[in-house]
Amino acid sequence: MSTEQTPVIEKPPPPAAVPPAGRESRFWSPRRAPATVVAVLVLVTAGAFLYDIAAVRAHHPAMHWRRELARRLAAEPLDATWVLVGAGIAAALGLWLLVLAVTPGLRDLLPMRRTHPDVRAGLRRDAAALLLRDRAMEISGVRRVRVRLHRSRAHVLAVSHFRELDEVRGDLEAALTDAIRAMGLAHEPALTLQVIRPGRKG
């Protein structure tokens, strides 16, 4: 009696969905310096108050600075200058922390299109601008190029010392459009191109 076992074929799990083009968000900055400053301030303030409260519980007099602060807060009106200045500084710091909490930061790192769901890549803004400048300098007739690259727009100013400006502009537009597409950015910046003649000397 033969007992043949049917082989079991395991199907590979379906690949995870890759975000569609243009949906990549910016990279979030860790913001170590503001976090360190806030942590140190909270630690020092909380430590001072806890030490003073423990001293009072141990039947020692409260620290001089807390007695003075309580006396001045009880005596000074709310519209006093130093009270308003302190409240303004606290409100400004709180607003600054809120802005840092809800904004991603890292504006110099442009997110690239994701080809794998578990891998994210980015391109530095200055490197992308240098790439566009190098591609523009390869065009015949271009003497000098200035590139300002933003998240949504690339401003290119080229100086051409020979050839017709329309011809140079057409070659530059084709080359820079291909370069922007080849960079693989999640949000391809729109190209703003200006071609001029060099200024006269003297």
Side-chain angles (χ1 to χ4, degrees), residues 127-145 147 156 158 163 168 170-183 191 193:
L130 182 61
L131 187 147
L132 294 180
R133 178 186 175 278
D134 291 343
R135 288 294 299 271
M137 290 297 296
E138 295 175 357
I139 303 301
S140 176
V142 175
R143 170 188 287 185
R144 189 170 63 252
V145 178
V147 178
V156 180
R163 294 182 65 196
V168 177
D171 293 344
L172 279 172
E173 186 173 359
L176 294 177
T177 301
D178 290 341
I180 291 174
R181 188 179 300 111
M183 285 190 291
L191 177 62
L193 178 60

Side-chain angles (χ1 to χ4, degrees), residues 25 33 43 61 66 87 91 100 165 182 184 199:
S25 58
L43 180 63
R66 191 162 72 93
L100 291 180
L165 292 183

Side-chain angles (χ1 to χ4, degrees), residues 76-115:
E76 292 285 346
L78 293 180
D79 58 351
T81 302
W82 73 274
V83 175
L84 295 178
V85 171
I89 294 175
L93 289 175
L95 180 61
W96 176 59
L97 292 176
L98 286 176
V99 171
L100 291 180
V102 299
T103 54
L106 291 182
R107 300 181 62 86
D108 290 336
L109 193 60
L110 303 174
M112 302 177 68
R113 286 192 298 268
R114 189 182 297 193
T115 57

Side-chain angles (χ1 to χ4, degrees), residues 21-130:
R23 298 288 182 88
E24 284 293 329
S25 58
R26 291 219 316 260
F27 290 87
W28 281 79
S29 171
R31 294 190 171 100
R32 296 181 180 87
T36 302
V37 171
V38 172
V40 170
L41 290 177
V42 171
L43 180 63
V44 171
T45 305
F49 275 103
L50 287 175
Y51 177 82
D52 190 49
I53 292 173
V56 172
R57 292 284 184 176
H59 306 290
H60 293 285
M63 298 181 70
H64 174 72
W65 64 268
R66 191 162 72 93
R67 296 198 307 268
E68 182 66 19
L69 180 62
R71 185 189 65 79
R72 295 198 63 178
L73 288 176
E76 292 285 346
L78 293 180
D79 58 351
T81 302
W82 73 274
V83 175
L84 295 178
V85 171
I89 294 175
L93 289 175
L95 180 61
W96 176 59
L97 292 176
L98 286 176
V99 171
L100 291 180
V102 299
T103 54
L106 291 182
R107 300 181 62 86
D108 290 336
L109 193 60
L110 303 174
M112 302 177 68
R113 286 192 298 268
R114 189 182 297 193
T115 57
H116 192 278
D118 297 329
V119 178
R120 290 194 68 192
L123 183 63
R124 291 188 60 86
R125 192 188 303 271
D126 53 356
L130 182 61

